[in-house]
Amino acid sequence: CARDLIGDEPFAVLLPDELLWNPASPCLAQMTKTYEAKGGNVIAVLEVPEAHTDRFGIVDPGLIEGAVTEVKGLIEKPKGKAPSRLAAVGRYILQPEVMDLLGKGERGAGNEIQLTDAMAKLIGVQPFHAQTFDGMRHDCGDKAGFIQANIALALERPDIAGEVRAFIAGL
């Protein structure tokens, strides 16, 4: 749907069900530094427990340089042994060629058109790296995670933290 807005320019995707919080160094700022240094495609990742790898797109890692990992492959919600515990967490800087791949309408996991599958086809064709996010992740696609995110951020605000703490203590 956004193809005409993007044209031939790189673009960022920020999925709304993930809140990645680091006010001192936002996720997209961390990714932009990697993009400026490496070019190509950059995704944000976090290390997840092995038992949760089937919930995410997982990176098949290559060369690791600090918080930046070369992406040799991406597997959407792997069944069985995952190639790593580096999970894509809903922030991407992508090249416009991914739109052509999505436009083919090929279906993947859940019989859905998967952005992860289209991105995987760019690996080896364009530079592709994962930036391990330095910050807090909240899964706002989960009802409890949404509430937890709101509470966590409310507790960081001096103007309402006291009221929120008192409310929680009263429960």
Side-chain angles (χ1 to χ4, degrees):
C1 293
R3 181 186 305 215
D4 292 337
L5 297 171
I6 291 162
D8 293 331
E9 297 292 324
F11 61 97
V13 175
L14 288 75
L15 300 181
D17 61 341
E18 299 273 3
L19 174 62
L20 301 179
W21 185 249
N22 181 339
S25 180
C27 184
L28 198 53
Q30 293 176 35
M31 294 171 65
T32 298
K33 287 180 185 174
T34 298
Y35 175 76
E36 289 170 349
K38 305 281 187 183
N41 302 279
V42 179
I43 62 172
V45 295
L46 283 173
E47 202 166 293
V48 297
E50 180 115 16
H52 295 177
T53 56
D54 63 347
R55 301 177 188 178
F56 298 90
I58 300 293
V59 168
D60 182 1
L63 182 66
I64 299 170
E65 298 176 45
V68 179
T69 302
E70 175 189 20
V71 177
K72 292 173 52 180
L74 278 173
I75 297 116
E76 181 63 25
K77 300 175 182 167
K79 295 177 184 358
K81 180 77 172 146
S84 77
R85 293 178 23 220
L86 292 177
V89 289
R91 300 292 183 275
Y92 316 117
I93 297 174
L94 301 173
Q95 297 303 309
E97 290 80 5
V98 76
M99 290 296 187
D100 296 330
L101 296 168
L102 289 169
K104 293 179 181 179
E106 295 175 5
R107 303 211 175 252
N111 198 33
E112 298 174 349
I113 298 171
Q114 293 288 343
L115 179 56
T116 306
D117 293 341
M119 292 187 315
K121 291 181 179 177
L122 296 175
I123 297 167
V125 177
Q126 298 175 339
F128 212 114
H129 293 87
Q131 170 70 49
T132 299
F133 172 59
D134 177 19
M136 177 79 66
R137 172 190 176 259
H138 296 282
D139 179 0
C140 294
D142 172 78
K143 292 174 189 171
F146 177 75
I147 299 300
Q148 292 164 4
N150 280 274
I151 292 169
L153 270 60
L155 291 173
E156 290 189 25
R157 291 185 48 165
D159 61 329
I160 61 172
E163 278 186 70
V164 172
R165 277 192 183 85
F167 173 75
I168 292 169
L171 295 175

